[in-house]
Amino acid sequence: MQNHLNDEFVFRYKLVGSVEYIKSGKDQLILSKMVKICCIGAGYVGGPTMAVIALKCPNIQVAVVDISTARINAWNSDTLPIYEPGLDEVVKKCRGKNLSFSTDVEKHVAESDIVFVSVNTPTKTQGLGAGKAADLTYWESAARMIADVAKSNKIVVEKSTVPVKTAEAIEKILTHNSKGINFSILSNPEFLAEGTAISDLLNPDRVLIGGRETPEGKKAIEALRDVYAHWVPVDRILCTNLWSAELSKLAANAFLAQRISSVNAMSALCEATGADVSQVAHAVGKDTRIGPKFLNASVGFGGSCFQKDILNLVYICECNGLPEVATYWKQVIKVNDYQKTRFVNRIVSSMFNTVSGKKIAVLGFAFKKDTGDTRETPAIDVCKGLIGDKAKLSIYDPQVNQDQIQRDLSMKKFDWDHPVHLQPMSPTSVKDVSVVWDAYTATKDAHGICILTEWDEFKNLDYQKIFNDMQKPAFVFDGRNVVDAEKLRKIGFIVYSIGKPLDDWLKDMPAVA
């Protein structure tokens, strides 16, 4: 209904039949009843996203739930379970007010009006689609639990990255177990970059919400849109159908990974021809149709999404009878794997074709700077390649601890994406790997240095001191192009930088085995 009040209008509507809002023409949201939001999953997506919602919506109660007691205890402590610039301040400002962290999953789900689901969607390791398809075991389990404990109508929001048509499967589970309760399913994929997640949440490029094109679906979309509208301009909140929202997330990650593989493929050609990949990328990025972002050559991309989402995309294409499209996206992964292998081969061939018994300092283990996340980090494959040639590794990363590094180097592929309690509890300690908490300790008496994460501190190390304390000849293999290669060469280092003109030492040595 509408009432004209001082050139404003007021109307009322209900959130899935339970929570009433009053909304003014100035986009001011006033709740006539307190709304409660719950997020299942207290990981890299659920924790930061809910913290920012709590910060920007002080009139909404937000609960983050997880079955991992250790993780929830960490969220309630002074040392959060994940490192993300700005996250600590946001959590501490809201925790104990309208933001809570709990292991009482069923209680908070039952009490909530909107339930975000941000659970693991690992790549299947066996059965149909093994190595490509997403394993939706945890999603299905969450959906069945929601249906079981719900006593009132709910909006269920996909926050995990999921295959297209997952919402349809979840909808079927909920409706066939609904006991007369109304469930509306929305897809609200995250587009966060780790290291800048809080600023991405506070000032997003876009918020994407997909739902059914039915009256109930549109009401659910509007209800979630109004949560984000507390701080996100309405023109940045995109509303689509369910399938478009689900596919947009996979497509965005595939396009970004494709750009990285493209510039990395060019880096190999640059080394072969004497071109400089940084200059090539700068020239290409000046084309307004292309732009400069994601054109930094490196040892390869990592993170929890790129490889997993592309493999998922490949599987969906194959299932839909599109083998040529599947092959196209497979090549993005192949180039990424090739780049890591090429980097290891450069190290081994440069050091007299063997690193057996030699100390190699590894600077950086996280997949990018400003995060402690090691999921699918290129460092894992590079370290395993060097260990395979019997190198002795000394690893330093400012945000990754010894237990995590040992776990990553001993786990099987894709194990990392299962909940912590289902991962190997006591991974075997990897022989010939030490983890230290200082770059100078890592590099002392080393034969070579591998820079695998672009932490700012690695640009400003005292490389003269490092050179003096290393075995000679002393090598630097810069997998992120963070150091000034010419300055290091003047000190006496033999330097290999991805995609840059080769050091004379390296020119006649093969880049591939």
Side-chain angles (χ1 to χ4, degrees):
M1 73 182 191
Q2 292 189 15
N3 296 317
H4 290 280
L5 298 171
N6 299 325
D7 295 325
E8 296 181 15
F9 67 88
V10 175
F11 68 91
R12 296 174 183 268
Y13 66 94
K14 288 189 176 182
L15 160 62
V16 203
S18 62
V19 179
E20 188 174 279
Y21 288 87
I22 304 172
K23 186 175 180 183
S24 76
K26 289 183 176 177
D27 279 336
Q28 205 173 14
L29 193 66
I30 308 164
L31 283 74
S32 63
K33 177 187 170 185
M34 183 66 73
V35 175
K36 183 163 184 182
I37 289 175
C38 174
C39 178
I40 303 172
Y44 281 90
V45 175
T49 303
M50 294 303 111
V52 169
I53 288 177
L55 178 71
K56 291 297 185 178
C57 306
N59 52 359
I60 294 178
Q61 288 294 317
V62 180
V64 183
V65 297
D66 200 292
I67 59 174
S68 170
T69 301
R71 176 170 284 184
I72 291 299
N73 286 345
W75 278 110
N76 284 317
S77 74
D78 289 332
T79 305
L80 302 185
I82 62 175
Y83 172 74
E84 189 66 46
L87 176 62
D88 199 62
E89 293 85 347
V90 173
V91 169
K92 288 177 180 175
K93 185 177 280 190
C94 302
R95 195 174 58 194
K97 296 175 183 175
N98 67 324
L99 175 65
S100 62
F101 298 90
S102 173
T103 55
D104 197 344
V105 179
E106 295 185 0
K107 173 183 179 292
H108 288 286
V109 168
E111 293 174 354
S112 294
D113 305 294
I114 303 175
V115 180
F116 287 82
V117 183
S118 186
V119 298
N120 304 69
T121 53
T123 302
K124 290 182 73 173
T125 55
Q126 56 188 4
L128 186 65
K132 290 177 285 190
D135 183 347
L136 298 179
T137 300
Y138 309 116
W139 236 111
E140 182 176 340
S141 177
R144 291 185 183 278
M145 182 271 295
I146 292 168
D148 190 47
V149 304
K151 296 180 177 62
S152 60
N153 299 339
K154 299 193 187 303
I155 294 174
V156 178
V157 184
E158 290 179 340
K159 202 64 185 169
S160 313
T161 302
V162 293
V164 184
K165 296 289 186 177
T166 296
E168 190 171 57
I170 302 308
E171 201 170 51
K172 287 176 180 176
I173 291 170
L174 291 170
T175 53
H176 281 81
N177 295 276
S178 66
K179 299 172 290 189
I181 291 168
N182 236 347
F183 294 103
S184 292
I185 316 300
L186 299 179
S187 175
N188 176 218
E190 55 84 15
F191 296 101
L192 307 179
E194 289 187 42
T196 60
I198 297 301
S199 59
D200 292 343
L201 285 162
L202 292 171
N203 187 31
D205 292 335
R206 79 289 202 198
V207 171
L208 181 59
I209 303 171
R212 286 286 193 185
E213 295 171 302
T214 62
E216 294 77 14
K218 290 175 181 177
K219 283 182 182 178
I221 289 172
E222 191 170 1
L224 184 55
R225 185 190 67 190
D226 285 337
V227 171
Y228 285 110
H230 278 76
W231 77 97
V232 181
V234 174
D235 61 356
R236 290 195 206 167
I237 303 175
L238 312 181
C239 300
T240 69
N241 68 33
L242 270 172
W243 326 131
S244 296
E246 289 180 334
L247 185 55
S248 292
K249 171 62 176 176
L250 297 182
N253 280 342
F255 276 49
L256 292 172
Q258 177 198 49
R259 283 175 70 93
I260 296 171
S261 281
S262 293
V263 75
N264 282 343
M266 284 296 167
S267 75
L269 185 58
C270 286
E271 290 170 28
T273 60
D276 184 324
V277 72
S278 297
Q279 295 174 359
V280 172
H282 180 69
V284 169
K286 284 295 183 182
D287 188 323
T288 56
R289 297 167 300 175
I290 298 172
K293 294 185 177 180
F294 276 74
L295 288 180
N296 292 321
S298 69
V299 69
F301 61 71
S304 63
C305 289
F306 282 179
Q307 177 165 295
K308 183 176 76 171
D309 287 358
I310 294 172
L311 290 171
N312 196 346
L313 194 60
V314 166
Y315 182 68
I316 293 167
C317 291
E318 290 173 345
C319 290
N320 282 279
L322 301 169
E324 292 83 3
V325 181
T327 299
Y328 175 81
W329 289 112
K330 272 183 196 173
Q331 195 60 32
V332 173
I333 299 291
K334 285 185 177 180
V335 169
N336 195 53
D337 290 339
Y338 164 74
Q339 189 76 341
K340 291 179 284 189
T341 300
R342 199 169 70 83
F343 188 78
V344 173
N345 289 341
R346 279 288 190 202
I347 296 168
V348 176
S349 63
S350 300
M351 299 176 75
F352 311 105
N353 217 34
T354 180
V355 290
S356 179
K358 295 176 182 176
K359 179 180 178 181
I360 307 292
V362 175
L363 300 185
F365 199 83
F367 85 92
K368 62 185 288 190
K369 73 173 185 176
D370 293 333
T371 180
D373 194 353
T374 61
R375 293 176 292 179
E376 291 290 357
T377 175
I380 294 173
D381 287 334
V382 171
C383 288
K384 284 184 175 180
L386 294 172
I387 292 166
D389 207 79
K390 300 182 180 179
K392 295 182 182 295
L393 305 185
S394 183
I395 303 173
Y396 164 67
D397 187 288
Q399 288 298 330
V400 186
N401 61 36
Q402 178 173 331
D403 287 347
Q404 187 61 54
I405 290 172
Q406 289 286 359
R407 181 182 294 273
D408 287 330
L409 293 177
S410 62
M411 275 196 294
K412 295 178 182 176
K413 197 169 182 63
F414 304 128
D415 276 356
W416 58 267
D417 204 19
H418 291 271
V420 173
H421 71 285
L422 294 177
Q423 293 176 12
M425 292 304 294
S426 300
T428 306
S429 187
V430 179
K431 188 181 177 184
D432 292 331
V433 172
S434 64
V435 179
V436 299
W437 285 96
D438 175 75
Y440 298 103
T441 303
T443 56
K444 184 175 175 57
D445 294 323
H447 291 77
I449 301 169
C450 294
I451 302 175
L452 300 182
T453 310
E454 69 280 20
W455 287 103
D456 291 338
E457 69 176 88
F458 298 155
K459 300 175 186 176
N460 303 313
L461 294 172
D462 184 344
Y463 281 99
Q464 182 65 62
K465 170 181 167 55
I466 287 172
F467 179 79
N468 292 343
D469 290 341
M470 286 179 65
Q471 301 287 335
K472 308 298 186 298
F475 297 85
V476 172
F477 303 95
D478 187 356
R480 297 289 179 173
N481 286 341
V482 299
V483 299
D484 185 328
E486 287 309 312
K487 281 187 178 178
L488 265 59
R489 288 187 181 114
K490 287 177 182 177
I491 290 172
F493 285 102
I494 296 163
V495 183
Y496 167 66
S497 298
I498 293 274
K500 299 296 184 80
L502 294 176
D503 194 297
D504 288 341
W505 182 285
L506 303 166
K507 283 182 178 176
D508 296 323
M509 296 180 179
V512 291

